[in-house]
Amino acid sequence: MHRVVTPKILYFGTPVVLISTLNEDGTANLAPMSSAWWLNQSCMLGMSEKSQTVRNMARERQCVLNLPSANLADAVDRLALLTGRNPVPDTKAQLGYRYEPDKFGTAGLSPEPSHFVKPPRAKECPVQLEALVEQIHAFGQPSSLTAIEVSIVRVHVDERILMDGEANYIDPEKWNPLIMNFCEFFGLGGKLRPSTLAPVFAPPSRDGR
Ligand SMILES: Cc1cc2nc3c(=O)[nH]c(=O)nc-3n(C[C@H](O)[C@H](O)[C@H](O)COP(=O)(O)O)c2cc1C
């Protein structure tokens, strides 16, 4: 039996991304978000333009998408209700947000230099994607939301999540993304079964060629 309901949010479960960007003064900002999806070597990010992150991305055209594993939920949560924007916009202040210039330090994460972009990577995140901003689209008008299209120019992966003996394949049995499911943090459950699509993307050593 299905019911017609009017949920306040439609956060059905997506991976958390920590976006690092560069502020006007050259310091780094780090912001959690979870409205992200991937296609080929690109990603679309849904962010409010009231965030410092969108301002930084519009100006600098660069960012790093750091993907935390499920065991980094506490670090991510330390960034909730913080903004790198000063003064804090009224709408956010009313929700309890406060200005924090040192997001890396507050989260307990370590900045490390990127290869192609200026914002630093978050060392503890097993996946770090250096990215360039391609386009910023208005989204859900009238609203302050934007859909930011970025292209990934360098992929850094902790070798512990690679398939055994494979240089370029991430092992889904080793990668445990942090999932924002409505407003609660989850890891992934165990594998159910392979997808029929699996052989198409299998490493050459495993697809029988
Ligand atoms: C787990 C989590 C997921 C979030 N997802 C989003 C999101 O998808 N889009 C968004 O605009 N804000 C999201 N937020 C809120 C932003 O983190 C918040 O706007 C923050 O102030 C942005 O930081 P900044 O202003 O320093 O850029 C999320 C926050 C948390 C803790």
Side-chain angles (χ1 to χ4, degrees):
M1 180 74 145
H2 288 74
R3 292 199 188 170
V4 174
V5 299
T6 48
K8 201 168 165 188
I9 51 173
L10 298 171
Y11 300 165
F12 288 107
T14 45
V16 173
V17 181
L18 292 177
I19 307 183
S20 34
T21 54
L22 229 50
N23 295 315
E24 293 89 340
D25 63 2
T27 59
N29 191 37
L30 187 67
M33 62 85 68
S34 55
S35 307
W37 53 267
W38 321 85
L39 212 49
N40 289 338
Q41 302 297 311
S42 295
C43 178
M44 192 69 96
L45 303 158
M47 281 291 281
S48 164
E49 63 187 5
K50 293 197 175 136
S51 64
Q52 182 67 22
T53 297
V54 171
R55 296 184 151 207
N56 289 349
M57 289 174 85
R59 186 184 61 258
E60 304 285 331
R61 315 300 293 184
Q62 299 184 336
C63 65
V64 180
L65 309 179
N66 304 280
L67 306 193
S69 47
N71 63 2
L72 289 175
D74 289 347
V76 171
D77 205 39
R78 286 193 282 272
L79 294 172
L81 296 178
L82 298 180
T83 177
R85 203 169 145 192
N86 191 20
V88 179
D90 285 345
T91 45
K92 281 198 162 173
Q94 283 159 16
L95 294 172
Y97 274 82
R98 66 174 176 81
Y99 169 60
E100 174 53 66
D102 180 16
K103 300 270 206 83
F104 272 91
T106 304
L109 298 174
S110 326
E112 63 179 346
S114 299
H115 292 187
F116 292 142
V117 301
K118 289 183 195 157
R121 299 178 280 148
K123 188 176 175 140
E124 292 78 1
C125 290
V127 180
Q128 307 154 334
L129 308 168
E130 298 187 33
L132 301 178
V133 173
E134 298 293 344
Q135 290 190 72
I136 301 183
H137 308 265
F139 186 85
Q141 292 299 308
S143 81
S144 63
L145 298 178
T146 57
I148 307 177
E149 183 186 335
V150 301
S151 55
I152 310 300
V153 291
R154 178 139 286 192
V155 177
H156 305 263
V157 166
D158 186 324
E159 59 188 10
R160 285 171 294 189
I161 66 165
L162 288 174
M163 282 182 183
D164 293 341
E166 295 290 345
N168 295 304
Y169 287 84
I170 292 155
D171 189 336
E173 303 222 32
K174 296 178 182 168
W175 169 227
N176 190 17
L178 177 63
I179 302 293
M180 179 74 151
N181 187 4
F182 285 83
C183 278
E184 302 191 20
F185 293 118
F186 284 74
L188 292 183
K191 181 166 74 174
L192 302 177
R193 48 156 288 172
S195 159
T196 303
L197 199 59
V200 177
F201 294 105
S205 59
R206 297 176 190 212
D207 68 357
R209 269 185 279 148

